[in-house]
Amino acid sequence: MSTPATLNPAQLEAVHYLQGPCLVLAGAGSGKTRVITHKIARLLQAGYEPQHIAAITFTNKAAEEMRERARDLVGPRAAKPLAISTFHSLGVRMLREDGERVGLKSQFSILDSDDVLSILRDAGGTTDAAQARRWQWAISLWKNQGLDADQAEAQAEDDERRIAARVMRLYQERLAAYQAVDFDDLIGLPLKMLERDPEARTKWQGTLRYVLVDEYQDTNAVQYELLKALVGERAMFTAVGDDDQSIYGWRGATIENLKRLPQDFPQLKVIALEQNYRSTGHILRAANNVIAANPKLFQKKLWSEFGDGEPVRVLECDNEEHEAERAVARIQAIRGNAGMYGGQVEWSDFAILYRANHQARVFEQALRKANIPYKVSGGQSFFDRAEIKDLCAWLRLLVNNDDDPAFLRAVTTPKRGIGHQTLAQLGEFASKWKVSLFEALFADSLASAVSARAIGSLHEFGRYVNDLEYRFRHTAGAEDAKPALLEWLKEIGYEQHLYDGEDNEKLAASRWQNVLDFIDWVARRCGGEIDNEGGLTTETEKKTILEVAQTISVILSLAERGGDTNVVTLSTLHASKGLEWPHVILVGVNEGLLPFKGEDEEMTPQRLEEERRLMYVGITRARRTLAVSTLRRRKKGREFVQGLPSRFIAEMRLHEASGKEDPREKLKALRAELAARAAAKAPAEG
Ligand code: ATP
Ligand code: MG
């Protein structure tokens, strides 16, 4: 195995320490994630069965990557049973297997953010989308702190929060009735299960005997409790993290978890890594300088054996369009000078990073114009839009009548006089008889559970779904499919629904346009005209709408993965965590954008520190070159305002002479000293 040769002594220590809990606390690019993958190999060597090893990553993509690395190290057979996933996917697994212990049937539904919002609007009796989002936010934070509705209400400081806590209670009642959970429950419920059910605890502690956690600094309170409950008294785990990269405080992550670890586990072994293997000297120094402005929780130093490399470039731009042009020009210039960068430079060697999703658009346009392939990661894709998901839910329901979340979405979008109470009763009835919601519709005994009037509406909906299913099963070809699809939208009143749900007419119009685009997209597939979006192969045969609907979920999952790999990455700073690229362009580095400041928002020291950590994360994604760009004028709403370079640019202290603390000098001195010692020893031994 190649393990020892590719790890430094501190990494080796972390990998080989199996006696008890272990924390690797180290800066960016120091090989923390590498320690985790190598430790998996080490655990296998030490006799752990692969299915007893759990590695928890921050995103699904990171989990995929870790699995690949593990496969390279230990081979496919050992890698396959490894439990490598996010906290959320682990939660799904635990609930699928044992959800009944906390009152869930095994076919429970997982609600996405839009489902949650629509339930909240309904439960709280509001059409105000912003209000519903504030409730969603508050409820999520409470759940992440481990609070239920009663506790949240008891500690609410003002009316707004008291109301939110009450809405939370109604919301929870509905989730229970629908046999549905939200994302936060995927952590909270497994925790509840382990805390209350000794049998479940024994089972899961026996299943996951060694737990590794990456990006530990961004776990929230509930995730920490889940980790604790999983590892139990044996406390066999390794967590790796960097307090300077904690950037999800706004979502409830807490650095407290780092402080609590040594208190809760006094025997904790703490290991620091100091050598950075990612970035050249200029980049690393800029990163260290920026983060030095934050108060320190833990002292860390990072050095690199790589040379200084190229100085960090600051690109001053007139406005967003100019900034995008310069970014494209820079990418082309580096490609043109590939010789300077070791020969081949791929599109995938580049990332353009920004603070907020909406900043991506201008860059997309510029890249498209220049014919440069790219992908947007961490952003909202076409298929994530609420209106598209609405229609997909309908199609999913036609394909699979038992898809309960699809049922719930379709039956309430648009509204058809079937209220939440009816749905709750239907849900209870369905779970009692262990049937899907759709099946329950036509059960004779439903009359005992639901009012006669409600049954009428439910039957009407059921008949409509059946009728539509029949029509879509027999409609093929683009010319027939398109009018059939439009007819359906008319029948359910979808356009009106969009305008009713949105005070801003322009927004509603653009959503309706998305719907029409989607209809076109489906119709083209019915015509057999299949392009390579989604990676499907070329076919020419006509298809029915239902056949196309059947492949939609496959296409969607492909669309999420994005197929192409040799492309420039456009990403938010948040989504870039843990990743690296040879060439990084950090854009919009202006006051107000990074650090980001909302309209009436006060910039507290805590907020500023989190923004600074984001900047640190951004800088440390770069391996060989880094450019940061600023705007002289920037758009703010509809107006242009003068742009001020971010304070973080000054904090990078780019002007400073590079030689001052050159780690190479240190290393040279160290080598000279060692050589001198060896020379002094040599004659005596010889
Ligand atoms: P981040 O804080 O950004 O998550 P990290 O500490 O997890 O960073 P890794 O991503 O594990 O760091 O490693 C950074 C880079 O350095 C990777 O390309 C990795 O392969 C390389 N690397 C790590 N350790 C070594 C080593 N001992 N020898 C050679 N390369 C290494
Ligand atoms: Mg990492």
Side-chain angles (χ1 to χ4, degrees):
M1 203 166 299
S2 59
T3 310
T6 51
L7 296 171
N8 65 34
Q11 290 175 323
L12 270 179
E13 187 186 7
V15 165
H16 282 269
Y17 185 77
L18 299 181
Q19 287 77 13
C22 177
L23 169 68
V24 178
L25 187 60
S30 58
K32 296 182 296 297
T33 303
R34 190 181 181 98
V35 161
I36 294 207
T37 33
H38 283 258
K39 194 150 189 174
I40 292 175
R42 172 70 196 130
L43 287 162
L44 290 170
Q45 263 180 356
Y48 277 86
E49 297 286 331
Q51 66 273 22
H52 291 154
I53 303 171
I56 298 173
T57 58
F58 198 72
T59 60
N60 288 319
K61 191 159 162 260
E64 256 172 59
E65 266 182 35
M66 185 166 292
R67 189 172 289 285
E68 266 166 44
R69 302 251 170 89
R71 205 181 294 135
D72 293 344
L73 278 179
V74 304
R77 214 167 49 90
K80 195 157 175 280
L82 292 167
I84 304 180
S85 73
T86 61
F87 267 112
H88 289 98
S89 319
L90 176 62
V92 173
R93 176 179 160 200
M94 294 175 71
L95 292 179
R96 289 248 185 267
E97 281 184 37
D98 284 319
E100 276 161 23
R101 294 171 187 273
V102 282
L104 271 186
K105 65 173 184 180
S106 58
Q107 260 86 280
F108 66 89
S109 323
I110 301 167
L111 302 177
D112 67 18
S113 174
D114 295 320
D115 299 325
V116 168
L117 281 172
S118 90
I119 295 177
L120 283 174
R121 272 204 300 265
D122 217 45
T126 181
T127 51
D128 181 352
Q131 174 65 66
R133 268 194 293 276
R134 282 197 296 277
W135 285 335
Q136 179 184 29
W137 206 244
I139 292 172
S140 176
L141 273 183
W142 283 326
K143 286 192 175 186
N144 285 329
Q145 292 161 3
L147 302 177
D148 64 19
D150 292 337
Q151 291 163 319
E153 188 169 357
Q155 65 144 55
E157 289 154 8
D158 49 38
D159 279 345
E160 162 122 29
R161 263 168 263 193
R162 255 185 297 281
I163 292 170
R166 273 174 226 151
V167 172
M168 179 178 182
R169 188 170 303 117
L170 298 173
Y171 169 75
Q172 285 307 120
E173 281 167 15
R174 293 211 188 163
L175 293 203
Y178 298 165
Q179 285 291 307
V181 300
D182 63 24
F183 268 59
D184 301 315
D185 294 331
L186 294 176
I187 317 293
L189 288 176
L191 172 63
K192 196 164 136 190
M193 175 170 94
L194 295 186
E195 282 177 346
R196 302 200 180 156
D197 187 334
E199 220 178 296
R201 201 161 55 231
T202 309
K203 170 184 162 181
W204 285 99
Q205 289 178 351
T207 307
L208 308 176
R209 298 196 193 160
Y210 200 101
V211 182
L212 303 128
V213 187
D214 200 0
E215 306 278 359
Y216 177 73
Q217 76 282 355
D218 275 323
T219 50
N220 63 38
V222 182
Q223 288 167 336
Y224 177 62
E225 292 302 328
L226 181 60
L227 173 67
K228 258 176 51 177
L230 276 173
V231 300
E233 299 268 293
R234 287 177 60 243
M236 284 300 174
F237 71 87
T238 296
V240 311
D242 177 6
D243 49 310
D244 290 332
Q245 294 186 70
S246 162
I247 55 177
Y248 281 89
W250 54 282
R251 233 168 54 179
T254 168
I255 312 193
E256 286 302 309
N257 287 350
L258 269 172
K259 297 192 204 154
R260 285 174 60 186
L261 215 48
Q263 294 160 6
D264 290 349
F265 301 94
Q267 74 278 39
L268 183 75
K269 172 100 172 166
V270 181
I271 294 172
L273 308 176
E274 294 182 340
Q275 181 166 2
N276 171 294
Y277 290 93
R278 181 179 288 147
S279 312
T280 52
H282 278 297
I283 295 169
L284 201 55
R285 253 191 316 277
N288 285 338
N289 288 342
V290 165
I291 205 63
N294 267 6
K296 282 279 160 194
L297 194 56
F298 302 96
Q299 274 307 330
K300 280 183 301 213
K301 39 186 191 249
L302 271 185
W303 59 277
S304 152
E305 231 175 27
F306 301 143
D308 270 351
E310 276 183 38
V312 176
R313 290 286 305 275
V314 178
L315 312 176
E316 288 174 32
C317 310
D318 296 334
N319 52 37
E320 281 91 350
E321 283 75 21
H322 185 218
E323 185 179 45
E325 276 166 30
R326 291 198 69 175
V328 167
R330 182 172 170 83
I331 291 173
Q332 284 165 333
I334 291 177
R335 293 255 302 180
N337 285 316
M340 278 177 62
Y341 303 98
Q344 190 94 344
V345 178
E346 306 285 349
W347 295 123
S348 53
D349 289 346
F350 295 92
I352 298 175
L353 306 179
Y354 37 82
R355 174 67 178 84
N357 269 316
H358 68 81
Q359 291 172 269
R361 216 200 64 233
V362 190
F363 293 93
E364 285 194 64
Q365 282 164 351
L367 289 165
R368 223 177 289 155
K369 203 164 125 203
N371 259 326
I372 297 176
Y374 67 88
K375 67 172 177 213
V376 183
S377 85
Q380 203 193 30
S381 91
F382 182 67
F383 296 101
D384 288 336
R385 296 178 199 279
E387 57 276 16
I388 306 302
K389 282 184 160 172
D390 284 344
L391 303 186
C392 285
W394 271 90
L395 295 176
R396 266 162 50 202
L397 179 64
L398 298 184
V399 171
N400 167 19
N401 292 164
D402 292 338
D403 187 333
D404 283 1
F407 178 98
L408 285 175
R409 193 161 182 148
V411 77
T412 51
T413 325
K415 291 255 175 314
R416 48 176 60 242
I418 297 177
H420 76 87
Q421 207 175 348
T422 303
L423 289 175
Q425 288 161 344
L426 182 70
E428 266 166 49
F429 179 86
S431 68
K432 183 168 150 209
W433 294 101
K434 300 205 187 314
V435 295
S436 69
L437 295 168
F438 192 84
E439 249 182 292
L441 280 188
F442 295 107
D444 290 336
S445 48
L446 183 63
S448 64
V450 180
S451 79
R453 202 179 59 85
I455 286 204
S457 318
L458 288 172
H459 281 176
E460 190 186 306
F461 175 72
R463 276 195 299 272
Y464 180 64
V465 168
N466 282 337
D467 172 53
L468 193 63
E469 185 185 322
Y470 179 83
R471 281 189 269 155
F472 283 5
R473 190 185 297 287
H474 294 94
T475 310
E479 315 79 65
D480 293 342
K482 191 162 173 183
L485 290 160
L486 289 172
E487 184 63 25
W488 157 50
L489 295 183
K490 215 161 113 200
E491 285 164 1
I492 62 173
Y494 196 75
E495 186 176 8
Q496 192 57 43
H497 162 79
L498 285 183
Y499 280 91
D500 290 346
E502 185 58 70
D503 294 339
N504 181 343
E505 284 222 351
K506 253 186 155 166
L507 253 172
S510 96
R511 297 178 64 185
W512 178 241
Q513 188 53 50
N514 286 337
V515 167
L516 295 177
D517 289 347
F518 177 72
I519 296 300
D520 266 339
W521 187 85
V522 176
R524 272 192 292 135
R525 279 175 171 66
C526 292
E529 177 203 332
I530 302 201
D531 50 31
N532 59 5
E533 294 165 83
L536 290 186
T537 50
T538 314
E539 289 176 42
T540 46
E541 228 170 278
K542 283 185 181 180
K543 289 186 165 170
T544 69
I545 299 177
L546 216 60
E547 279 168 340
V548 171
Q550 221 147 30
T551 59
I552 276 186
S553 61
V554 182
I555 296 172
L556 292 189
S557 62
L558 283 173
E560 273 165 19
R561 248 184 276 136
D564 273 344
T565 48
N566 190 13
V567 297
V568 172
T569 299
L570 292 177
S571 171
T572 61
L573 288 165
H574 281 101
S576 76
K577 202 171 67 149
L579 306 177
E580 58 187 25
W581 294 269
H583 307 284
V584 169
I585 308 175
L586 194 50
V587 302
V589 190
N590 273 68
E591 282 298 304
L593 288 172
L594 179 63
F596 178 80
K597 188 178 161 302
E599 197 57 24
D600 307 308
E601 191 189 18
E602 199 194 332
M603 184 54 98
T604 61
Q606 290 78 7
R607 278 264 303 113
L608 182 62
E609 284 160 23
E610 182 147 322
E611 293 292 313
R612 191 176 278 117
R613 291 193 292 269
L614 259 178
M615 180 75 182
Y616 174 76
V617 167
I619 297 171
T620 53
R621 298 310 96 196
R623 301 178 65 173
R624 304 195 64 148
T625 76
L626 172 68
V628 293
S629 60
T630 62
L631 302 163
R632 288 197 195 92
R633 273 153 61 81
R634 66 181 180 93
K635 257 188 225 129
K636 198 175 174 193
R638 293 221 193 114
E639 286 164 44
F640 275 100
V641 296
Q642 204 200 340
L644 272 181
S646 166
R647 68 192 83 187
F648 299 150
I649 293 197
E651 289 177 6
M652 289 198 285
R653 302 211 303 258
L654 298 176
H655 53 277
E656 275 187 3
S658 68
K660 247 190 212 166
E661 294 179 64
D662 192 341
R664 282 183 312 173
E665 294 302 321
K666 244 172 115 186
L667 203 74
K668 251 195 236 162
L670 197 70
R671 288 214 177 105
E673 199 193 329
L674 286 174
R677 272 199 225 158
K681 258 184 170 181
E685 280 165 10

